[in-house]
Each structure stands twice: as structure tokens, then as C-alpha cells.
Amino acid sequence: MRFIETSLPGAWVIEPEPHYDERGFFARTWCEREFREHGIAMAVRQCNLSGNRARGILRGLHYQASPHAEAKVVSCLRGAIHDVIVDLRPDSPSFKRHAAVELSPGNGRMLYVPPGMAHGYQTLTDDALVHYLMSEHYVAEAQRGVRWDDPAFGIEWPAVEARIISARDLAYPDFLG
């Protein structure tokens, strides 16, 4: 696997290195040793799938509060997404900055999201399927979010004719931290 640092400390874009032959390819998507060599000591406690029926669906920006803060490895198994993370760690040199990457089966990229960062994405295609490896179990009482269009973050989301956002995600407040 190839680990590419993002502009946010501790967050990585991960590219599998496929090995091809006449049958197709084989690639590793998780190796505890390689992740640890890049400062990622993440136990996988839960895996999630998110199916998205249409282009323009925006999910996020979500995180879990301490002591249930979670790390994630996000990949797109079908379709394509514009994946965004925002650094909400007050002591971080990149506090309130964001990074974005396109994830799709075609590019094979994954995004490692460290604890203390909010995560969200917008679908770029119909029928996008997103997979998450999670370091913590979901705890409803710890679920938090910030507004997708909060001016404090300055995120430029891809333009779409119709953006679809849940009522919960629309109700998140601006970030005051």
C-alpha cells in the first residue's frame, strides 16, 4: 500500500498496490503492520456500508465525541464520492482546516480519518456504495456533527443540480470551537 500524507496531520490517503495477472488483480486494503508503520494504531471494531441512490447526496459532517472518538478508513466500492474531513482538534496546527479527496473503485483510494476529525461526503454518481472500517462502536449519545456549509471551514463542495441532505445534517449548528 502507498500512504500519501494529506495537509491535515495524521490523515492519510491510502492507495492499494494491485498485482495483476491474466485473472485480474489482487490488492491488500488492510495491513495492521503497514498502518502502524505510518502511525495508525487502529483496531477495527465495526464495519459499515452506506448505500446512496442518487448523485448529489451529502452526508455529514459527522464525528463522535470523546471518549468515543473514532478513527475511520473510508473507501468507495461503487460509484464515486467527494470525501471531506475537517480537523476539529483544538491543539492541532490544522485546526478548522479541511482536506478532500475523490474516492472510487477506479482509483482504489481509501481515506484514513483520525479521531477528532469530522467526516462527510457528497456522491458524484448515482448508486454509490461507501465502506467504513471503524475503530470504535457507534454510541448514539456521542454522535455529533457540524454544518456541511459552515463558513468557518470554507469547503467547496462539487456543484450539483440537486443536493440531498438529511434533516438531521441540515440542523447541525455552525462550529463555535
Side-chain angles (χ1 to χ4, degrees):
M1 286 177 281
R2 189 170 154 232
F3 288 74
I4 303 161
E5 290 185 83
T6 71
S7 59
L8 308 180
W12 298 84
V13 173
I14 304 156
E15 293 180 342
E17 295 178 308
H19 299 279
Y20 294 92
D21 66 18
E22 66 280 355
R23 301 167 294 173
F25 74 90
F26 176 86
R28 247 186 328 212
T29 60
W30 176 260
C31 176
E32 184 266 338
R33 182 184 68 242
E34 285 185 61
F35 274 65
R36 189 178 55 235
E37 288 169 359
H38 290 86
I40 303 168
M42 178 179 154
V44 177
R45 292 195 166 71
Q46 185 172 307
C47 295
N48 302 325
L49 281 175
S50 174
N52 302 274
R53 61 177 175 74
R55 178 179 185 267
I57 291 174
L58 194 147
R59 294 182 185 255
L61 299 158
H62 305 141
Y63 65 99
Q64 282 199 164
S66 272
H68 305 287
E70 60 198 1
K72 304 175 185 180
V73 176
V74 183
S75 59
C76 184
L77 304 178
R78 187 174 56 230
I81 63 171
H82 178 79
D83 206 14
V84 176
I85 55 177
V86 177
D87 193 342
L88 299 181
R89 302 170 297 183
D91 297 333
S92 172
S94 60
F95 180 55
K96 295 198 287 187
R97 291 195 351 231
H98 72 278
V101 62
E102 183 174 322
L103 303 180
S104 71
N107 66 29
R109 290 178 171 164
M110 300 175 286
L111 182 63
Y112 171 73
V113 183
M117 292 197 184
H119 171 257
Y121 65 85
Q122 180 177 296
T123 57
L124 301 174
T125 64
D126 291 343
D127 199 27
L129 183 63
V130 181
H131 183 259
Y132 304 78
L133 300 176
M134 309 296 291
S135 68
E136 298 298 328
H137 299 283
Y138 175 73
V139 177
E141 302 78 39
Q143 171 64 43
R144 303 285 189 280
V146 292
R147 270 207 6 242
W148 67 279
D149 61 349
D150 188 326
F153 309 133
I155 300 168
E156 292 186 30
W157 295 92
V160 291
E161 286 182 29
R163 187 169 278 127
I164 303 164
I165 307 172
S166 72
R168 180 190 71 171
D169 288 355
L170 285 172
Y172 284 132
D174 281 342
F175 184 69
L176 301 174

